[in-house]
Amino acid sequence: MISIDPITLAVSSFAMMASASPFVYYSLKLKKISSLNLATFEEFSKTHKVVPNQEERWRNHYHLGLDSQYKKLIYHRFGTYPEQSIIDLNEVNKVSIQEKMRHVQVGKEKRYILDFLALQFHFKDRSHSPKTIEIYDGELFTSLAGEKGIAEKWQRILENNLKD
């Protein structure tokens, strides 16, 4: 049988707790932010009498919800410059994807870097300027985490709802 010195056990336990505590703290902090964001989104939905049956959240920074019955889209962007929007799809003619890219050349290698990705809503009433909702901002995040797929998916979903 292995005998463990109580002092060694205490030091080892302290070292394990010290190395794990930042991860536990960060995890609890993210859960708190996520639940606060969700509560804000749900409160905004209830206030405007919209019940989303399709939702998507990403990066603890964005939240989209679609009420297919009343054809309303709810959008939330959290963070430093928060935004809350409701878009009535009955007034929308077309949904497109807006991208802003820049060209970078290092030596012989050429790369395109996506700086901004959004869904743009073009309204039936031409006097109403297009509405843009941000999906990705290159100044906030260093790389894409599936936002291009999210934008394409939501464009298809919204275009299908415009046809109904």
Side-chain angles (χ1 to χ4, degrees), residues 27-40:
S27 175
L28 293 173
K29 183 179 173 183
L30 277 179
K31 282 183 184 179
K32 183 179 177 183
I33 290 170
S34 181
S35 64
L36 182 62
N37 289 351
L38 183 58
T40 305

Side-chain angles (χ1 to χ4, degrees), residues 8-124:
T8 305
L9 181 62
V11 169
S12 304
S13 298
F14 178 75
M16 285 178 25
M17 287 185 343
S19 62
S21 63
F23 298 106
V24 171
Y25 171 76
Y26 186 70
S27 175
L28 293 173
K29 183 179 173 183
L30 277 179
K31 282 183 184 179
K32 183 179 177 183
I33 290 170
S34 181
S35 64
L36 182 62
N37 289 351
L38 183 58
T40 305
F41 181 83
E42 288 174 349
E43 180 183 331
F44 185 71
S45 299
K46 286 179 185 175
T47 304
H48 293 281
K49 297 177 177 91
V50 177
V51 181
N53 57 340
Q54 222 170 345
E55 293 184 36
E56 186 152 8
R57 293 189 296 172
W58 64 102
R59 291 194 185 255
N60 269 340
H61 195 76
Y62 303 99
H63 196 149
L64 270 175
L66 175 66
D67 184 339
S68 298
Q69 182 180 1
Y70 294 106
K71 295 189 183 260
K72 301 224 185 233
L73 180 73
I74 298 177
Y75 171 74
H76 267 227
R77 180 180 65 216
F78 303 98
T80 309
Y81 302 104
E83 179 185 344
Q84 297 177 333
S85 299
I86 292 184
I87 299 171
D88 187 353
L89 296 178
N90 293 314
E91 299 173 2
V92 174
N93 186 38
K94 178 184 165 190
V95 179
S96 62
I97 295 177
Q98 181 185 26
E99 295 179 330
K100 291 183 183 172
M101 301 181 108
R102 65 185 149 100
H103 176 78
V104 177
Q105 185 168 352
V106 179
K108 293 183 179 184
E109 183 181 353
K110 297 177 184 178
R111 296 183 66 186
Y112 289 97
I113 298 174
L114 184 66
D115 286 328
F116 182 77
L117 180 65
L119 289 174
Q120 190 168 45
F121 296 85
H122 306 274
F123 294 92
K124 293 175 184 174

